Amino acid sequence: EWRAGAVFERDELELLISSTELPQDRRVVYALMGVADLRHGEMAGLRWRNYEPDVNPLGKLVVARSYASRTKTKRPRTMPVHPTLAVVLDDWRAEGWERMMGSAPSPDDLIVPRPPHHVARQKSRKSSSGMRDKNYSRRRMVDDLKALGMRHRRGHDLRRTFITLARQDGARPDLLEMVTHAPRGNIMNLYTSMPWEALCAEVAKLKVDPPVRDESEAMQKAVGSDVGPASGTTDLTTVLTTAAEDEAGSSGDKRGKPDIRLVEAPGVEPGSERFRPPRLHA
């Protein structure tokens, strides 16, 4: 009976990633799991080199590790960085990470390591790596939900929340599966790849507001100076969807079906010399 309620409401997700009652590092954790649909181990093992903010039309997370090992599916995947998540990550890298760790992050550093004072208290082999383990994150989440007056749920329910809300907002389930799960099933699924622009368009359909702090400056940096913070997600979705549809119409069949590209090996990203996505950065 618990499963029917194992999901966060939209306003609850927004509160988890923005409330100043919570430490910033934990808000980043909730954003990675609730806006990028990462499993806990994928979030814990993510390093700054896995974040490519300059990819267009949306930045990219390369999800290749769960903690220090391979992912659950044994195959890496790429996840478009929603504009709201870009605000959270860029603010964290610019100031928050250094405040917690005492120095600026390097490409090999974990995006959200455990706070140094907690690492110093731990004696186990797993804890010495600096990665967050499930027990640590679970205890912190229990405290945070109580502080915000929310009922108890699990960290993994943030993953279900992303898919639920994105589908409510009109995202295609088949394209969402390509970014939230590695290729699986029959050989056609394993050998099918979609244009990056089309995947970005589906992720951008998720309607979740960014944190209010530095919203105007950070949001415009994330999605382009011509897009205001109040309408950034909607306008970006329109641009990306139009670009994906234009590409499908020009290179698909005469009926305008999506341009599904077959590649020689799973995990190879699609490329095109013909198509250039619209520039969204000033």
Side-chain angles (χ1 to χ4, degrees), residues 75-86:
R75 297 188 184 96
R77 71 179 191 278
T78 54
M79 180 71 187
V81 177
H82 189 281
T84 290
L85 178 59

Side-chain angles (χ1 to χ4, degrees), residues 49-113:
R49 67 170 182 265
N50 302 132
Y51 174 36
E52 302 175 20
D54 297 327
V55 177
N56 285 319
L58 291 182
K60 178 188 296 184
L61 287 176
V62 179
V63 185
R65 296 281 179 180
S66 178
Y67 301 108
S69 305
R70 299 172 69 183
T71 61
K72 178 180 178 180
T73 60
K74 305 297 189 293
R75 297 188 184 96
R77 71 179 191 278
T78 54
M79 180 71 187
V81 177
H82 189 281
T84 290
L85 178 59
V87 171
V88 173
L89 288 177
D90 293 345
D91 185 45
W92 173 238
R93 178 159 60 179
E95 299 178 1
W97 202 98
E98 184 172 357
R99 277 198 303 267
M100 185 177 82
M101 301 302 293
S103 61
S106 71
D108 288 333
D109 281 322
L110 298 168
I111 291 182
V112 275

Side-chain angles (χ1 to χ4, degrees), residues 1 25 78 88 136 153 160 214-215 239 261 280-281:
E1 296 178 359
D25 61 306
T78 54
V88 173
Y136 173 83
R153 271 152 294 182
R160 182 176 182 181
D214 296 333
E215 179 181 355
V239 172
R261 304 177 185 183
L280 299 179
H281 295 276

Side-chain angles (χ1 to χ4, degrees), residues 92-259:
W92 173 238
R93 178 159 60 179
E95 299 178 1
W97 202 98
E98 184 172 357
R99 277 198 303 267
M100 185 177 82
M101 301 302 293
S103 61
S106 71
D108 288 333
D109 281 322
L110 298 168
I111 291 182
V112 275
R114 249 187 343 286
H117 64 274
H118 179 83
V119 175
R121 293 199 304 265
Q122 300 302 307
K123 304 299 182 181
S124 69
R125 180 180 60 83
K126 275 189 176 181
S127 296
S128 65
S129 68
M131 290 184 185
R132 295 172 183 245
D133 59 75
K134 281 188 175 181
N135 289 332
Y136 173 83
S137 294
R138 178 182 58 80
R139 290 193 295 268
R140 303 290 83 76
M141 188 172 195
V142 168
D143 294 339
D144 292 342
L145 292 178
K146 288 181 179 179
L148 297 176
M150 297 184 192
R151 60 184 174 84
H152 175 72
R153 271 152 294 182
R154 309 166 304 161
H156 195 72
D157 296 333
L158 287 166
R159 184 166 158 85
R160 182 176 182 181
T161 297
F162 169 85
I163 295 175
T164 299
L165 295 179
R167 293 190 65 179
Q168 288 177 10
D169 294 335
R172 286 175 48 180
D174 57 331
L175 296 190
L176 281 183
E177 185 176 10
M178 288 186 172
V179 295
T180 60
H181 298 77
R184 59 183 179 179
N186 60 41
I187 194 65
M188 290 302 292
N189 287 338
L190 294 176
Y191 279 74
T192 299
S193 185
M194 291 293 287
W196 180 246
E197 297 78 20
L199 300 177
C200 290
E202 299 309 304
V203 170
K205 288 178 180 177
L206 173 66
K207 296 180 176 66
V208 55
D209 290 336
V212 174
R213 180 174 177 270
D214 296 333
E215 179 181 355
S216 177
E217 179 181 352
M219 191 64 173
Q220 291 194 18
K221 179 181 178 183
V223 302
S225 59
D226 295 332
V227 181
S231 60
T233 302
T234 302
D235 290 351
L236 181 63
T237 301
T238 301
V239 172
L240 294 176
T241 303
T242 301
E245 290 174 349
D246 289 346
E247 170 68 351
S250 63
S251 58
D253 64 24
K254 297 301 182 182
R255 292 169 292 176
K257 291 183 177 179
D259 180 20

Side-chain angles (χ1 to χ4, degrees), residues 10-19 22 27 148 150:
R10 195 183 306 271
D11 59 344
E12 291 179 320
L13 174 59
E14 291 174 345
L15 191 60
L16 279 170
I17 68 175
S18 64
S19 175
L22 309 183
R27 302 199 304 264
L148 297 176
M150 297 184 192

